[in-house]
Amino acid sequence: MPTLNPQPKPHFRREKSLAAKGLWPIAGIDEAGRGPLAGPVAAAAVVLDPRNLPKGLNDSKLLPPYVREQLFEEIMRRAIAVAVAFSSAAEIDRINIRQATLCAMRRALAALSVSPTYVLVDGNDLPESLLCAGETIIGGDGSSLSIAAASIVAKVTRDRTMRRLCQHHPQYGFSQHFGYATKAHRAAIELHGPSPFHRMSFSPFVIRY
């Protein structure tokens, strides 16, 4: 019976190659929450310590919630610098989700306690007016340790934010679906209408409200 090749894990080779060229510090950047109907989009920027890399990092979407939480604490303990920034639902409605995501990325980068020389950004959309040079990596959260770390920090931070919102608006169940368009979430919207944290530029709001 043929053996299936294991899924490749994120590595630090790209960062080491860039550092060998004098490009250091290097920050990984990723976002969480582009698709939901409610809540902010979050972006994280992480500068890992090459001498103290957390073990087990991977694309946050592939990790169980309890593992993400554990790795979040490891990243916060070991990384040289970590920053998270948000773009609110109101800002998303005003400038669109793409621009809001790029804004959050720029804010996260600017909030780092060290100034990166180079950034690695997940996806294919490099924010304009960054403070330094950088590149995009499609699927970067599954290939770059720095981006994987950023994906975990962004996801965990946004999930915690949605749980706090759920305390004030429990009727929507944000702590279960985190704002995504589940059947239960859509039913809650049908019953209660939108909250102040829903994205009115997203369907079904843009059509009905």
Side-chain angles (χ1 to χ4, degrees):
M1 185 175 180
T3 302
L4 297 177
N5 292 327
Q7 184 171 348
K9 296 292 181 66
H11 54 76
F12 206 65
R13 293 192 293 273
R14 182 61 178 156
E15 290 89 335
K16 286 183 177 179
S17 175
L18 290 166
K21 299 174 183 177
L23 296 173
W24 187 261
I26 297 167
I29 299 179
D30 201 3
E31 54 76 25
R34 286 189 66 148
L37 303 181
V41 62
V46 177
V47 179
L48 291 175
D49 184 348
R51 299 164 297 181
N52 194 20
L53 296 172
K55 298 184 184 300
L57 298 184
N58 206 342
D59 175 358
S60 64
K61 297 185 293 295
L62 302 178
L63 299 170
Y66 77 94
V67 174
R68 285 199 300 263
E69 291 281 348
Q70 292 172 353
L71 289 173
F72 174 89
E73 299 301 332
E74 281 294 293
I75 293 164
M76 298 302 291
R77 184 170 66 86
R78 296 181 183 224
I80 293 172
V82 179
V84 183
F86 295 92
S87 182
S88 68
E91 186 173 33
I92 291 168
D93 289 340
R94 187 170 68 252
I95 63 176
N96 75 51
I97 184 59
R98 175 180 175 270
Q99 292 300 330
T101 301
L102 297 177
C103 281
M105 288 181 173
R106 285 192 292 268
R107 291 168 186 154
L109 183 64
L112 285 170
S113 59
V114 301
S115 299
T117 303
Y118 201 81
V119 296
L120 301 174
V121 181
D122 185 53
N124 60 359
D125 208 356
L126 188 69
E128 297 179 356
S129 304
L130 288 179
L131 301 176
C132 61
E135 66 181 277
T136 58
I137 302 176
I138 296 175
D141 46 6
S143 62
S144 161
L145 279 181
S146 297
I147 297 176
S151 78
I152 292 168
V153 171
K155 173 64 175 168
V156 169
T157 304
R158 186 182 185 278
D159 285 357
R160 290 178 178 180
T161 299
M162 296 306 294
R163 291 190 188 101
R164 288 194 294 271
L165 290 182
C166 192
Q167 294 174 8
H168 299 284
H169 299 271
Q171 66 270 32
Y172 296 101
F174 290 145
S175 62
Q176 280 74 51
H177 51 67
F178 305 105
Y180 284 89
T182 64
K183 184 177 179 180
H185 188 191
R186 287 182 176 274
I189 294 168
E190 186 73 24
L191 180 62
H192 302 289
S195 76
F197 302 100
H198 279 96
R199 303 174 183 180
M200 301 306 293
S201 58
F202 279 41
S203 176
F205 307 116
V206 71
I207 297 172
R208 297 180 55 193
Y209 293 94

